[in-house]
């Protein structure tokens, strides 16, 4: 892509009176930024910018109108050695905000091209998370980085890009839930992007049934929430709202926001207690999760890795691909490399190899078979500062065609209680 020599920025404000009727943290102004990708740096004309407090108070969500970049080359072209691959160029296709019939279009999230400088010394960290204010991911960001400036993003990929483009300093994203299992999308994004895991945080999930003030449970004809939240509260909803239809929504807190914004008196949402506070909803029932042991694990991501240490429990995450035609014997050898050194594995996850999804087996005499090729994600309890971890990975590298250390980081050892009503 040929770099341009100028950057046109357009700013537009709108009156948020209509949204103020729904909830108190309505967007005070809207700024539409249209900018093509530039190889050189630029600044806003006349010092015009968006303050970070506006991001937080306005419930603005970073837009995902950014084209996903797929490197046309194969994995071997990207990765010549451990942790080595090339960076692709980014083409930002941002659509300008237009008016319809002389009226401004509905308020849209701030775009990912609304760049801002890194925080000054002493400023709070800007932490990107997926969802809207009141989401469990926001609580995870607050636990990981207290007093941080949380930046909501509408998709996981946008949170990764926000950190890469210096819009945010960190990202906090879920990777697994004790009931729902792994969040495969984020495992794939860990491989696609160049961010490093610098920590983890575990959050107990505490669901509530929310509705507009004055609404009773027997008046609820519909319950909306994220599919996993609906599944995790199925038995409770059978008792509380036996005749209500259940509809999937893309996010728990967004479901609560949708009820408040549209003044829906016949609809309830399964979300957190903090979502009820933010969107002026009442809690019809508290702690409605069917299983009290419902915990979500989040990863803390940064542009630079942290220095591994040995003075506290550390965990290391890696991803690797087996050597061609070695099959499952490679996985056994990899696991043995850790077992012989008394290194405990806490997780192993397989994902299809995107660049080489199938492996043909057979010599042609009796036909051929096609087996799936996989990438393996492994977490183990050891720091990369330890000799046993370094020796284990040196042996693992002999059996793999690709090996990358995603991060070596402190384990989350903080205690928590499942009976807490705190938004988690």
């Amino acid at each position: 892509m040929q770099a341009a020599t100028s950057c046109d920025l357009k700013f537009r404000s709108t009156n948020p009176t209509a949204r103020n009727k729904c909830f108190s943290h309505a967007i005070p102004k809207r700024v539409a930024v249209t900018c093509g990708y530039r190889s050189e740096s630029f600044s806003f004309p006349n010092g015009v910018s968006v303050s970070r407090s506006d991001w937080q108070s306005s419930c603005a969500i970073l837009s995902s109108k950014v084209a996903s970049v797929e490197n046309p080359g194969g994995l071997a072209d990207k990765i010549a050695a451990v942790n080595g691959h090339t960076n692709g160029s980014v083409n930002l296709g941002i659509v300008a905000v237009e008016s319809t019939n002389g009226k401004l279009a509905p308020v849209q999230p701030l775009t990912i091209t609304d760049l801002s400088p890194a925080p000054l010394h002493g400023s709070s960290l800007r932490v990107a998370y997926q969802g809207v204010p009141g989401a469990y991911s926001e609580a995870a960001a607050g636990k990981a980085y207290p007093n941080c400036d949380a930046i909501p993003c509408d998709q996981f990929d946008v949170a990764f890009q926000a950190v890469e483009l210096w819009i945010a300093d960190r990202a906090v994203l879920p990777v697994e839930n004790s009931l729902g299992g792994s969040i495969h999308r984020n495992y794939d994004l860990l491989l696609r992007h160049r961010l490093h895991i610098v920590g983890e945080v575990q959050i107990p999930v505490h669901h509530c049934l929310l509705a507009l003030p004055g609404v009773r449970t027997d008046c609820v004809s519909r319950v909306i929430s994220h599919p996993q939240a609906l599944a995790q509260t199925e038995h409770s909803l059978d008792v509380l709202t036996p005749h209500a239809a259940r509809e999937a929504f893309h996010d728990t807190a967004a479901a609560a926001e949708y009820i408040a914004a549209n003044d829906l008196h016949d609809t309830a949402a399964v979300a957190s207690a903090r979502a009820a506070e933010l969107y002026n909803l009442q809690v019809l029932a508290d702690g409605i999760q069917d299983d009290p042991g419902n915990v979500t694990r989040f990863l803390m991501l940064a542009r630079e890795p942290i220095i591994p240490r040995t003075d506290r429990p550390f965990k290391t995450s890696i991803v690797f691909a087996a050597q061609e035609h070695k099959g499952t014997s490679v996985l056994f050898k990899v696991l043995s490399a850790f077992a012989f050194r008394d290194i405990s594995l806490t997780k192993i996850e397989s994902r299809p190899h995107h660049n080489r999804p199938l492996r043909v087996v057979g010599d042609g005499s009796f036909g051929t078979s096609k087996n799936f090729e996989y990438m393996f994600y492994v977490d183990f309890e050891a720091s990369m500062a330890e000799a046993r971890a370094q020796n284990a990975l040196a042996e693992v590298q002999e059996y793999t065609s690709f090996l990358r250390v995603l991060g070596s980081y402190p384990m989350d050892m903080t205690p928590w209680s499942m009976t807490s009503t705190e938004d988690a």
Side-chain angles (χ1 to χ4, degrees), residues 39-55:
S39 60
E40 71 276 3
S41 61
F42 68 92
S43 59
F44 291 102
N46 301 324
V48 179
S49 65
V50 180
S51 68
R52 186 55 53 188
S53 60
D54 288 339
W55 282 74

Side-chain angles (χ1 to χ4, degrees), residues 68-118:
S68 298
V69 178
E70 297 292 345
N71 193 329
L75 186 61
D77 296 334
K78 293 180 180 178
I79 306 151
V82 177
N83 291 345
H85 63 70
T86 59
N87 295 323
S89 60
V90 181
N91 180 17
L92 303 181
I94 305 300
V95 180
V97 176
E98 301 293 345
S99 60
T100 304
N101 298 328
K103 298 181 179 179
L104 288 176
V107 174
Q108 298 295 325
L110 293 175
T111 68
I112 201 169
T113 52
D114 187 18
L115 301 177
S116 58

Side-chain angles (χ1 to χ4, degrees), residues 123-343:
S123 300
S124 60
L125 285 175
R126 299 165 299 183
V127 180
Y129 68 93
Q130 187 275 329
V132 300
Y136 294 106
S137 293
E138 183 195 36
K143 180 180 178 181
Y145 300 101
N147 302 318
C148 70
D149 190 2
I151 303 177
C153 306
D154 66 345
Q155 292 186 22
F156 293 128
D157 197 15
V158 177
F160 276 87
Q161 295 182 56
V163 178
E164 290 177 328
L165 299 179
W166 294 77
I167 297 174
D169 306 295
R170 302 286 190 274
V172 175
L173 298 172
V175 288
E176 59 180 329
N177 177 264
S178 58
L179 300 181
S182 299
I183 301 175
H184 296 138
R185 174 62 174 167
N186 283 337
Y187 277 100
D188 294 339
L189 291 174
L190 282 171
L191 184 60
R192 180 184 302 177
H193 295 270
R194 292 303 306 271
L195 299 185
H196 302 269
I197 304 175
V198 296
E200 66 174 359
V201 61
Q202 297 180 7
I203 296 291
V205 178
H206 193 85
H207 290 309
C208 301
L209 186 64
L210 312 180
L212 290 173
V215 174
R216 304 190 309 270
T217 54
D218 57 354
C219 299
V220 174
S221 61
R222 181 176 61 156
V223 178
I224 60 176
S225 190
H226 190 277
Q228 284 198 10
L230 293 176
Q232 294 166 4
T233 58
E234 180 178 3
H235 297 300
S236 297
L237 294 178
D238 287 342
V239 176
L240 295 170
T241 58
H243 304 295
R246 299 168 194 176
E247 297 182 9
F249 215 78
H250 63 276
D251 185 77
T252 55
E257 181 189 31
Y258 178 77
I259 291 176
N262 293 276
D263 198 28
L264 303 177
H265 289 268
D266 62 341
T267 305
V270 176
S272 66
R274 172 166 166 76
E277 298 175 1
L278 289 176
Y279 305 112
N280 296 326
L281 301 178
Q282 67 170 334
V283 178
L284 297 178
D286 188 21
I288 64 173
Q289 60 275 4
D290 297 329
D291 190 336
N294 188 358
V295 181
T296 300
R297 175 174 171 245
F298 294 79
L299 295 180
M300 302 148 62
L301 306 176
R303 288 180 293 271
E304 300 295 334
I306 62 174
I307 299 176
R309 296 159 53 181
T310 58
D311 58 346
R312 60 171 298 179
F314 258 62
K315 182 182 293 185
T316 301
S317 298
I318 65 173
V319 56
F320 64 88
Q323 288 182 357
E324 191 174 1
H325 305 309
K326 295 298 182 180
T328 56
S329 63
V330 169
L331 182 58
F332 173 79
K333 294 176 181 178
V334 168
L335 298 182
S336 299
F338 295 104
F340 291 155
R341 295 168 176 86
D342 197 25
I343 298 177

Side-chain angles (χ1 to χ4, degrees), residues 374-387:
Y374 293 97
M375 303 289 290
F376 294 94
Y377 294 81
V378 172
D379 295 344
F380 59 88
E381 293 182 350
S383 169
M384 284 305 298
E386 301 179 57

Side-chain angles (χ1 to χ4, degrees), residues 188 192 351-357 373 375:
D188 294 339
R192 180 184 302 177
R351 295 291 297 149
H353 197 314
H354 288 187
N355 291 338
R356 191 170 61 249
E373 289 281 9
M375 303 289 290

